[in-house]
Amino acid sequence: GQGLPVVTVTKIIDHSHLNADGMLSLSTLLKWMDITACLAAELHCRKMSVTISMDEVSFPAEEYGKVAVGQALSLRGQVNNAFNTSMEVGVLVTSEALGTGATATVCLAFFIFVAIDESGGKARVEPVVPVTFEEQHEFALAAERRKVRIKRRQVEKTMASRLLPSPPVSPVTLRSSAVRSSQFGSTSAARTSRRSWVGARAQETLQSMDTTQLVLPHHANHHGNTFGGQIMAWMAEFAT
């Protein structure tokens, strides 16, 4: 049918979803957002889809901190545009106080998914057909964001080729080895490391931390594979 494919997932916040500070756990939220985006992508292409990237994440700090136990969290995933084998899915997260009906925006992010065929290669996807003015607006913005992503990759590639042997002073660099699905091989653990460079240019102190996560059945998605949202959840937990 016409119109941008949309999936809405609703979660009721309980104590297991909070972190040590009593706030909604970022790792839990990222996992839910990735699942919602994946369902929207697969609704459109009718094929297995995998997370390639997530960007332009925004968290209104004041509203995010107000998410409380007993509230309803609505995650709306919409396929904004499709490009040959990939799709951009926007995920908007809002909270609702069930007692008063008051709502607030919690998070907004854009995910890129690639459709996978039965042999494990990339599969072509059909274009989306925006109908309303709002859908046409998002459709056009998604095309522009794609141009920006391509340009950014080109710039990063150029910068990487010019890097000096010594690492520059940088706040925090995350490095993660993705858990490959059974389609591409298997692995027993996901390894994430965080490195912080601290100090002046004349003298730098390298700090490093490592963690190992054992991949268990409950880490799998509906395809039986460890998915992007779980990887992001581990990264968020470790970075915190």
Side-chain angles (χ1 to χ4, degrees):
Q2 292 187 337
L4 300 182
V6 174
V7 166
T8 301
V9 176
T10 301
K11 298 285 187 179
I12 302 297
I13 304 301
D14 63 37
H15 290 284
S16 67
H17 302 141
L18 306 183
N19 60 19
D21 297 318
M23 298 175 60
L24 174 63
S25 168
L26 177 58
S27 62
T28 298
L29 179 59
L30 289 174
K31 188 186 301 184
W32 288 345
M33 292 175 69
D34 185 73
I35 292 172
T36 303
C38 181
L39 292 176
E42 293 183 348
L43 173 67
H44 172 63
C45 70
R46 300 297 179 181
K47 296 178 177 66
M48 174 182 172
S49 299
V50 296
T51 312
I52 296 300
S53 67
M54 179 185 70
D55 58 19
E56 297 191 32
V57 187
S58 60
F59 296 94
E62 182 178 353
E63 301 301 336
Y64 184 83
K66 291 180 181 178
V67 177
V69 170
Q71 289 188 344
L73 211 63
S74 176
L75 301 97
R76 184 180 187 274
Q78 175 178 278
V79 180
N80 294 326
N81 209 327
F83 315 98
N84 298 321
T85 61
S86 66
M87 297 156 280
E88 182 196 275
V89 184
V91 178
L92 174 66
V93 183
T94 57
S95 63
E96 179 178 355
L98 299 181
T100 65
T103 61
T105 298
V106 175
C107 181
L108 173 64
F110 298 100
F111 292 75
I112 303 300
F113 277 81
V114 166
I116 303 297
D117 61 24
E118 294 180 355
S119 65
K122 294 181 179 180
R124 298 191 68 85
V125 298
E126 295 294 325
V128 296
V129 183
V131 175
T132 66
F133 173 80
E134 290 77 10
E135 289 182 343
Q136 292 171 0
H137 183 64
E138 289 298 334
F139 179 85
L141 286 177
E144 292 303 313
R145 282 190 290 266
R146 182 171 187 259
K147 294 178 183 178
V148 172
R149 293 184 186 103
I150 293 173
K151 181 63 176 179
R152 184 172 61 211
R153 286 197 297 268
Q154 293 172 344
V155 171
E156 290 174 348
K157 184 177 180 180
T158 301
M159 291 177 63
S161 66
R162 298 175 179 175
L163 285 180
L164 297 175
S166 58
V169 176
S170 173
V172 175
T173 298
L174 286 175
R175 183 184 63 207
S176 172
S177 59
V179 178
R180 294 171 294 174
S181 71
S182 58
Q183 297 280 343
F184 302 94
S186 60
T187 183
S188 60
R191 192 173 183 82
T192 306
S193 67
R194 180 180 69 178
R195 292 188 174 185
S196 301
W197 282 274
V198 183
R201 292 183 179 181
Q203 183 177 3
E204 297 177 3
T205 302
L206 180 65
Q207 296 180 344
S208 171
M209 296 178 65
D210 293 274
T211 185
T212 299
Q213 298 287 346
L214 180 64
V215 179
L216 299 173
H218 66 268
H219 296 137
N221 62 8
H222 53 293
H223 293 296
N225 304 318
T226 301
F227 61 109
Q230 180 60 64
I231 302 298
M232 288 187 283
W234 282 330
M235 292 174 68
E237 290 175 357
F238 190 57
T240 303

